[in-house]
Amino acid sequence: MLEGLPSFVRVVEVGARDGLQNEPTAVPTEVKVRFIEMLAEAGISVVEATAFVSPKWVPQLADAEQVMAQVRKRAGVRYPVLVPNLKGLERALSAGATEIAIFTAASESFCQRNLNRSTEQSLQEYEAVVREARAAGCWVRGYISTALVCPYEGAIAPDAVKPIVERLLAMGVDEVSLGDTIGAAVPTQVAQLTETLLPILPLERFAYHFHNTYGTALANVLTALQMGVFIFDSSAGGLGGCPFAPGASGNLATEDLLYMLHGIGIGTGVQMEGVVAAARYILSHLQRSTPPSSYLRARGGNSRVDV
């Protein structure tokens, strides 16, 4: 019998940004916009919309300004956008963003390959980004990639993650999302990291971002739930994969997460049928015959939705 689990989980949808950033198939702006709107209509309260990064490095998200201009915002929904630096923040603010996300890594090797600078250099730059964002009234999220396992360095010690979390909190970041960027973590690692961080990172600001490369994402979610964590990132359809993380497959599928949460009696405020419709919508445009999502594979072409 599972006891002591949170009664409610906040689902943070990352499909429109993290899910699409590495896709080889170009997705029209209007399709991205409708995908975002469908996710918000399904009841998801945080829908990451896009990223204001260099089109040279992430061409799939080159239309960030157009996406932000066209999305019809719903009351009570946050639409954070990823920004890598002050230039990205300037673009985001000009496009009307009121929520941003910054990202660093617990692994020096990954940070150098992803951001072309050290973890310390990234944190120093983000101090200015967060200061400007807060001055503009923005809500700020901080991602820490490779918080558990790195494709270059292997397992990451929790004590290497803790000072990065402390720095982000000191800057004024509202929420910290810890990423299993290559989907290689197992529950014992999640338990160790959570135990290390709980004394400094309040549960209302504590999030996890699991990929499902080795099929352990839901086991990791359950471990975190048992320790009180109630904010989890996921991607409709199971889309995703980091262009700078060799071997990383898709994110934990939102519908897989919902199936488990709803099945064990945890509320989310999210309608499964709406997420499934959004997932099928975007997958059809990506011409995916076999979806990464376990739920969608199990359901096949059947439109009936359980749980």
Side-chain angles (χ1 to χ4, degrees):
M1 185 70 177
L2 295 173
E3 296 180 354
L5 299 180
S7 61
F8 183 87
V9 159
R10 184 190 311 150
V11 176
V12 177
E13 174 61 50
V14 300
R17 194 277 301 174
D18 195 17
L20 296 180
Q21 67 179 6
N22 203 33
E23 284 293 325
T25 303
V27 179
T29 300
E30 60 271 21
V31 172
K32 295 177 185 176
V33 167
R34 183 60 192 137
F35 181 46
I36 292 167
E37 291 175 346
M38 291 176 76
L39 292 164
E41 289 165 5
I44 297 177
S45 62
V46 185
V47 182
E48 193 175 53
T50 186
F52 288 86
V53 294
S54 169
K56 175 184 176 183
W57 295 110
V58 190
Q60 185 64 267
L61 304 180
D63 58 351
E65 279 86 358
Q66 290 87 347
V67 167
M68 291 301 288
Q70 293 179 33
V71 167
R72 292 173 296 178
K73 309 289 197 313
R74 289 176 68 91
V77 178
R78 288 182 176 139
Y79 299 87
V81 298
L82 201 68
V83 300
N85 48 37
L86 282 168
K87 181 178 179 180
L89 175 64
E90 182 180 343
R91 288 177 57 201
L93 293 176
S94 295
T98 56
E99 301 95 11
I100 69 155
I102 59 175
F103 57 103
T104 187
S107 155
E108 285 292 337
S109 301
F110 186 82
C111 205
Q112 287 286 357
R113 287 168 171 81
N114 197 358
L115 293 172
N116 199 32
R117 54 188 184 267
S118 70
T119 300
E120 176 59 31
Q121 288 170 327
S122 73
L123 290 170
Q124 288 178 5
E125 179 157 14
Y126 285 138
E127 287 178 357
V129 172
V130 174
R131 184 169 58 250
E132 293 295 324
R134 299 290 292 184
C138 289
W139 179 85
V140 182
R141 189 174 219 236
Y143 285 105
I144 303 178
S145 297
T146 59
L148 293 139
V149 184
C150 170
Y152 312 107
E153 299 180 13
I156 300 296
D159 285 342
V161 181
K162 185 176 180 180
I164 302 172
V165 173
E166 290 173 329
R167 289 280 294 278
L168 291 174
L169 294 175
M171 288 179 205
V173 166
D174 295 288
E175 187 172 287
V176 178
S177 178
L178 301 148
D180 180 23
T181 309
I182 60 170
V186 295
T188 49
Q189 291 172 296
V190 174
Q192 289 164 2
L193 180 59
T194 307
E195 185 177 30
T196 299
L197 296 180
L198 279 176
I200 64 164
L201 184 58
L203 286 170
E204 62 270 16
R205 303 169 75 179
F206 196 136
Y208 270 117
H209 181 121
F210 294 118
H211 284 236
N212 201 38
T213 309
Y214 290 92
T216 56
L218 284 175
N220 290 335
V221 168
L222 185 57
T223 299
L225 283 169
Q226 290 174 313
M227 300 183 77
V229 178
F230 62 88
I231 307 170
F232 296 96
D233 302 356
S234 60
S235 172
L239 296 176
C242 177
F244 305 102
S249 71
N251 289 283
L252 168 61
T254 304
E255 55 275 22
D256 290 352
L257 176 62
L258 293 176
Y259 182 82
M260 184 184 80
L261 294 175
H262 294 174
I264 59 180
I266 296 176
T268 63
V270 181
Q271 299 175 345
M272 173 71 95
E273 56 271 24
V275 171
V276 168
R280 287 182 170 147
Y281 172 77
I282 196 66
L283 288 167
S284 70
H285 285 277
L286 295 173
Q287 301 177 340
R288 291 285 191 95
S289 57
T290 304
S293 158
S294 296
Y295 183 92
L296 292 182
R297 289 199 306 273
R299 302 302 302 166
N302 190 337
S303 61
R304 181 171 171 267
V305 178
D306 295 328
V307 181

